[in-house]
Amino acid sequence: MLHHLEIYVSNLSKSTEFWGWFLSELGYEPYQQWDSGISWKYEETYIVFVQAEERFLEVPYHRSRVGLNHLAFHAKSKEQVDQMTAQLKKKGINILYQEKHPFAGGDSHYAVYFEDPDRIKVELVAP
């Protein structure tokens, strides 16, 4: 069981807006907040976002470098994937692999892929 995940971000305000909406839709609840960070919790697992210090912002995140490639979350259903996809589009959030959506992960993998404000790839996958 994953205890928590901590991600440093380039703009805490933008990340809070993006992740707060998305995680709340999945059933996460606000957990902790302080000047340079915020977290959301679902059952016993929580996700933390922390403002990176200015001196570490020079090299931006890229999912093809060593480290985190993407975060994948469980959807309740294919309908939830479709609903979230519509909301992402309405918010102007880029849907990745649109030419293969919703089967970009394969013929039996129903999901939507998109990016957070720092271009961290996020996946929401149906059961």
Side-chain angles (χ1 to χ4, degrees), residues 2 4-9 18-19 22-23 26 28 45-49 61 63 67-74 96 109 111-117 119-125:
L2 184 67
H4 73 275
L5 179 66
E6 187 166 321
I7 300 171
Y8 277 50
V9 298
F18 174 89
W19 286 103
F22 178 72
L23 294 173
L26 299 182
Y28 285 75
T45 303
Y46 61 99
I47 302 174
V48 183
F49 300 92
Y61 167 83
R63 66 178 167 265
L68 177 72
N69 176 267
H70 72 281
L71 298 170
F73 293 86
H74 288 282
L96 301 173
H109 191 80
V112 60
Y113 298 84
F114 52 99
E115 294 176 323
D116 88 338
R119 300 201 59 214
I120 296 173
K121 183 166 66 173
V122 183
E123 175 183 359
L124 180 62
V125 60

Side-chain angles (χ1 to χ4, degrees), residues 45-123:
T45 303
Y46 61 99
I47 302 174
V48 183
F49 300 92
V50 178
Q51 175 63 54
E53 294 179 27
E54 186 72 32
R55 63 188 172 126
F56 297 117
L57 295 177
E58 184 178 317
V59 179
Y61 167 83
H62 194 287
R63 66 178 167 265
S64 293
R65 292 189 184 116
V66 173
L68 177 72
N69 176 267
H70 72 281
L71 298 170
F73 293 86
H74 288 282
K76 295 176 186 168
S77 63
K78 289 180 179 179
E79 292 76 20
Q80 186 181 30
V81 170
D82 293 341
Q83 174 195 25
M84 293 295 282
T85 300
Q87 289 184 51
L88 289 161
K89 288 179 179 179
K90 186 176 180 181
K91 290 178 173 289
I93 297 169
N94 184 40
I95 305 298
L96 301 173
Y97 322 119
Q98 289 189 41
E99 68 284 354
K100 297 180 181 179
H101 175 78
F103 297 105
D107 292 342
S108 61
H109 191 80
Y110 198 94
V112 60
Y113 298 84
F114 52 99
E115 294 176 323
D116 88 338
D118 284 309
R119 300 201 59 214
I120 296 173
K121 183 166 66 173
V122 183
E123 175 183 359

